[in-house]
Amino acid sequence: MSNARPPSSFVEKVDPAVLCSPENWKTSRHMRVVILPLLLLSLLASPRRVEALDCPIPPGIWSQSAASDEVSAEQKRRNSEDRWSIYRLERAPIIFRGRVVSARDLSDISKTNIPTSLLIFDRVEILKGRLFTAARDRKAFVISERWCDGSCAGRKATADWLPGKFVGVAAYPNTFADPSKAAEATTKRVVYRGRIDAMFGPCDGGFLSERALELLANPDEVARIKREVAPRRAH
């Protein structure tokens, strides 16, 4: 779909990209911090093979520095969660905040595991980068791809993007061959013609929490977290 992110090819491995959807950020605060390590560890420890997308794995399971031994368990949990947010913030060339106007599936969700959707936002505030369309209407038309484990039947785009809600979004530039036409990743069939300001796929981009947006505006806090939670080096 885009040259700015990994292709949506099928392999048999666990997919860490599910962490990027709003639905998963609605889970309990204690569960969110352990999801990523468990997914990564399952690549090494689990004998079961799971069909998923070939998404890049973040650089190691982050480890707390020696100086963090005196930090409470709750603070360590928050630091690890923040480190994941920082990783996503640094990768995404476009970050904005806006209100969800609509979320419409462009694919037949009963026939694909990677449906394409059109997300429309208004009251958009650009926090990083720029959109393809330099519009003054403060709107953003975003093409998204999401991954469904098994089947997307019964799971519409509005389940993840509730109209009327203000959200943060990490996105990528419009790199379609024809910038006014969106094609499905699997069939290459054109499913939308019109304005496309940005895009994101199942591996990169998507929903950002309010905490992630706070980190974007606080470089001192980002520096502190990077010192205390560094990527674990391979031995």
Side-chain angles (χ1 to χ4, degrees):
M1 176 177 174
S2 166
N3 294 327
R5 57 174 175 76
S8 301
S9 58
F10 288 96
V11 297
E12 292 192 342
K13 66 164 65 172
V14 175
D15 174 24
V18 294
L19 291 175
C20 301
S21 73
E23 182 178 82
N24 286 297
W25 281 92
K26 295 175 185 175
T27 58
S28 72
R29 298 173 62 199
H30 294 286
M31 285 299 295
R32 291 200 303 265
V33 71
V34 300
I35 291 175
L36 177 63
L38 289 177
L39 284 174
L40 296 177
L41 287 173
S42 67
L43 290 173
L44 302 175
S46 174
R48 184 170 62 93
R49 295 165 68 84
V50 180
E51 183 181 282
L53 293 175
D54 186 9
C55 291
I57 297 174
I61 298 174
W62 293 293
S63 59
Q64 306 284 337
S65 68
S68 69
D69 291 342
E70 298 179 358
V71 177
S72 68
E74 175 64 13
Q75 184 61 50
K76 287 183 178 182
R77 184 199 62 77
R78 288 198 299 266
N79 285 348
S80 295
E81 186 174 303
D82 286 346
R83 191 64 183 84
W84 168 244
S85 293
I86 292 168
Y87 172 79
R88 295 185 62 218
L89 290 171
E90 292 179 338
R91 282 178 60 87
I94 301 170
I95 295 173
F96 67 87
R97 187 175 188 272
R99 185 181 67 169
V100 180
V101 174
S102 63
R104 176 164 61 95
D105 288 305
L106 303 173
S107 303
D108 184 342
I109 59 175
S110 67
K111 296 181 179 180
T112 179
N113 282 19
I114 314 177
T116 301
S117 304
L118 172 65
L119 310 177
I120 301 179
F121 304 86
D122 67 4
R123 304 186 188 182
V124 169
E125 178 186 3
I126 305 298
L127 304 175
K128 178 183 176 183
R130 66 182 185 87
L131 299 176
F132 184 81
T133 305
R136 297 181 180 179
D137 56 8
R138 294 187 63 194
K139 291 185 177 180
F141 289 64
V142 180
I143 294 296
S144 75
E145 290 177 354
R146 69 183 188 275
W147 164 257
C148 298
D149 186 9
S151 172
C152 292
R155 183 186 169 190
K156 296 183 179 180
T158 50
D160 289 338
W161 302 94
L162 186 64
K165 184 176 181 180
F166 280 89
V167 296
V169 180
Y172 288 72
N174 176 352
T175 56
F176 286 114
D178 183 333
S180 64
K181 294 180 181 179
E184 288 183 316
T186 52
T187 67
K188 307 305 179 184
R189 180 174 63 92
V190 174
V191 291
Y192 171 77
R193 292 177 172 83
R195 175 176 167 181
I196 305 173
D197 296 317
M199 57 201 295
F200 64 82
C203 292
D204 283 320
F207 173 80
L208 291 172
S209 67
E210 284 297 323
R211 172 58 178 167
L213 297 183
E214 291 174 4
L215 289 171
L216 183 66
N218 193 339
D220 291 339
E221 178 70 354
V222 168
R224 178 193 68 79
I225 294 167
K226 283 186 172 182
R227 287 194 303 270
E228 295 185 5
V229 189
R232 182 175 297 168
R233 292 184 175 86
H235 295 288

